[in-house]
Structures are given as structure tokens and as C-alpha cells.
Amino acid sequence: MVEKQYTPTVAYLGPETSFTHVAATLLFGDVGLVPQPTIPDCIEAVAEGKVAYAIVPLENALEGSVPMTIDYLFHGSELFINAEISTPIEQHLMVNKIRKDESGQLQSIHSHPVALAQCHKYLQYHYRRTPLMQTTSTAAAAKYVSDNPELNIAAIGNRLSAEKYGLHIAEENIHDFHFNHTRFVVLSQRKGFLDIPFKSESSKTTLMVKLPEDDRSGVLHQILSVFAWRKLNLSKIESRPMKTGLGNYFFIIDVLEDEEHPMLRGALEELTSLNCAVRSFGSYYTF
Ligand SMILES: O=C(O)C(=O)Cc1ccccc1
């Protein structure tokens, strides 16, 4: 009997050619990818078991965390991180091909809020008075410009989107800083490394740590020393609002170690005994 090959279904922030789509194809290939209109839709699709995985942008080198992902992943979801992939991001200004020789003022410029923010200085300098319109993704912006040739509008996005939606690149590489990478994470209902044919050297564990209620002095120092004396390397620590009142924060901590490592197991136990609430999003490879 020929064994049927299992193809996971993967929800991603679409439509096709979005940066998330590019990241998804690098990890999963072209098969089984299901575009979703928004980041919450991706997270809901995997939480409700409609797909095996979701892939969403988590953090950008220029703009920091993607708030929509943080909000849905850390507030209320029971999902785990199974892999991370980081890709370079290049932003281009694109217009409808039939308008490529027009010199008139653009009516509006459309893109994902993170992409608009990455090009903020460029837009401030060249398009100070042009309204900026937020879209659910850069590819959605490119599609919108393509679908509305009667409007003198532009989108910001990648070269693949310009090709796919038949747009002309009016200006290349308009992101404000050269080093522009984004971390995307693969999420599922199960803890564990993503089962793909290629492996990576470096594993990471993401923790959500809530401080003890009694708010005693020096508690942050205590938490950091839990990692420090065990020589556990942190690649990120970020405070985010608990959304329960001013001054209430939790911490997102990335540790460059596998959760099963005795040192990290010990660190998690010690944090609990310090009355911290700790939730692990699991260990995963970074690509
Ligand atoms: O809008 C997209 O194409 C996305 O995938 C989200 C995003 C936006 C800007 C930088 C990286 C990811």
C-alpha cells in the first residue's frame, strides 16, 4: 500500500505575495497554504482546528512587535510556537501600470501599518500631504491599487506583489533603514518542533512571565538573575501592557535554550517559586 503523504494546511496573512506568504512558502512549500484576510483570522483558524498551523508576523527590526499578533497570541490564545523564520523586507512604491507616466499628485498611499511605518521618513519627505490608508497586508494594498485603475493611488509592498498584480514600481527600496528584517512564527495547538525536512542549529523558547501580585521591590532583578546565574542567554525581553490597568505589565522573554534543558527547567521552577505566573509557548527552531 502506498502511504498517503500528509500535507499540513497552513493559514497565512494573505493574499498571495504578502511577506507572510513568502515566509510560509519558504517553510512549507506551495501546497496547503490557505490565505486569511487578517492576523486574528489566521490565529482563529488554527485555534478552531480549521488548519494545522498558522504563520503570522511577530516582530520587525525597525518597528518592534506587531501589536495585532501580540494581542491575539498573548491575550487569551492557547497556542504554541513551533518554528520561527526571519526574512529580509524591501518596500517599494508601486502604481497602476497605465498610470506609470503620470506626474500628478497621488490621491492616497495604501499599505499595512507596519510597512507604512517602515517608510515613514520617506513618506514624510516626499508625500507629506498625501493621505496614508491602512490595509490588512501589503499584498492586499497592491491588489486594491490593481483593482482600481481609475484612482491615482499607490501601494507599498514587495516586488512579487508588483509582478502578481501588474503594478509598476515607481520607486524602489523606500524603507527608511537598510536592515529591515521580520520574524514570522508558526503556531499550532500542540507544543513541539515543526516537523520539516531541514533542521536548524539554534533553538529558542518563548515565555510569558507575569510578576507576583505583591509588587515587591527588586522583583525584576530577581527574575533576571534566575536566568543569569544559569548562563541562559536571553535574545529578547519586552514588557507589554496586561490591559488590566495603568502600570500593569507582563514580560515576553525569549531564551536561547530548549525547554527540556535542565537549566531552563530549573529556571521555570524557580520563577514559579518566586510567585511569577509563567506560560511557555514551547521551544522551536529559528530559520
Ligand atoms: O503585509 C504583509 O505583506 C505582511 O505579511 C505583514 C508585514 C508587513 C510589513 C512587514 C512585514 C510583514
Side-chain angles (χ1 to χ4, degrees):
M1 196 176 85
V2 181
E3 226 178 273
K4 212 174 151 208
Q5 197 77 42
Y6 168 68
T7 311
T9 48
V10 185
Y12 71 92
L13 173 64
E16 277 180 36
T17 73
S18 70
F19 287 104
T20 313
H21 183 223
V22 174
T25 54
L26 289 172
L27 279 181
F28 294 98
D30 265 341
V31 191
L33 303 184
V34 191
Q36 302 291 320
T38 66
I39 290 172
D41 286 322
C42 296
I43 291 177
E44 263 171 45
V46 70
E48 289 168 7
K50 292 179 182 153
V51 289
Y53 297 102
I55 178 164
V56 288
L58 179 66
E59 183 183 356
N60 180 259
L62 304 193
E63 286 306 305
S65 287
V66 178
M68 194 69 95
T69 303
I70 299 284
D71 273 358
Y72 280 82
L73 183 57
F74 290 88
H75 293 272
S77 106
E78 288 175 6
L79 299 174
F80 298 99
I81 303 177
N82 307 109
E84 166 191 300
I85 180 164
S86 165
T87 66
I89 304 288
E90 290 181 346
Q91 303 289 9
H92 312 302
L93 186 74
M94 47 191 86
V95 295
N96 223 293
K97 271 203 176 125
I98 58 164
R99 293 184 170 272
K100 80 181 177 66
D101 296 320
E102 268 178 44
S103 53
Q105 183 71 40
L106 283 172
Q107 286 167 255
S108 52
I109 299 177
H110 301 239
S111 202
H112 187 276
V114 171
L116 292 171
Q118 289 168 355
C119 307
H120 197 272
K121 284 191 176 153
Y122 170 87
L123 293 169
Q124 173 74 6
Y125 193 73
H126 296 276
Y127 293 98
R128 184 182 290 253
R129 307 267 167 254
T130 308
L132 304 178
M133 312 297 274
Q134 296 193 351
T135 55
T136 49
S137 74
T138 55
K143 184 170 184 316
Y144 183 78
V145 171
S146 173
D147 290 345
N148 292 278
E150 71 287 1
L151 303 175
N152 188 19
I153 57 177
I156 294 175
N158 60 24
R159 189 172 299 280
L160 274 180
S161 291
E163 283 163 13
K164 165 97 181 162
Y165 303 104
L167 302 182
H168 164 73
I169 295 188
E171 184 120 26
E172 283 185 332
N173 295 323
I174 61 166
H175 42 286
D176 294 329
F177 296 90
H178 184 61
F179 188 87
N180 190 13
H181 280 68
T182 293
R183 282 173 72 198
F184 298 86
V185 281
V186 174
L187 309 172
S188 81
Q189 291 187 20
R190 279 183 300 160
K191 225 181 215 192
F193 293 95
L194 182 65
D195 188 17
I196 47 174
F198 41 100
K199 291 277 169 268
S200 151
E201 294 287 289
S202 44
S203 68
K204 198 188 257 189
T205 304
T206 292
L207 306 173
M208 176 182 184
V209 179
K210 291 182 195 164
L211 300 188
E213 302 274 313
D214 60 4
D215 198 16
R216 56 187 187 266
S217 65
V219 74
L220 187 55
H221 184 275
Q222 266 185 315
I223 288 173
L224 289 177
S225 62
V226 164
F227 298 103
W229 76 258
R230 291 181 171 85
K231 293 194 169 26
L232 289 166
N233 202 0
L234 308 186
S235 59
K236 165 178 174 149
I237 176 161
E238 177 177 2
S239 60
R240 300 290 307 181
M242 293 273 290
K243 300 185 189 280
T244 54
L246 263 182
N248 298 347
Y249 285 85
F250 69 90
F251 291 90
I252 300 168
I253 299 179
D254 287 351
V255 191
L256 295 179
E257 190 51 88
D258 191 317
E259 198 179 353
E260 292 308 317
H261 190 283
M263 281 299 189
L264 187 46
R265 289 220 312 256
L268 296 180
E269 269 172 32
E270 196 179 330
L271 287 174
T272 311
S273 61
L274 288 171
N275 284 334
C276 292
V278 187
R279 153 133 155 75
S280 169
F281 286 79
S283 302
Y284 52 91
Y285 289 124
T286 68
F287 297 97

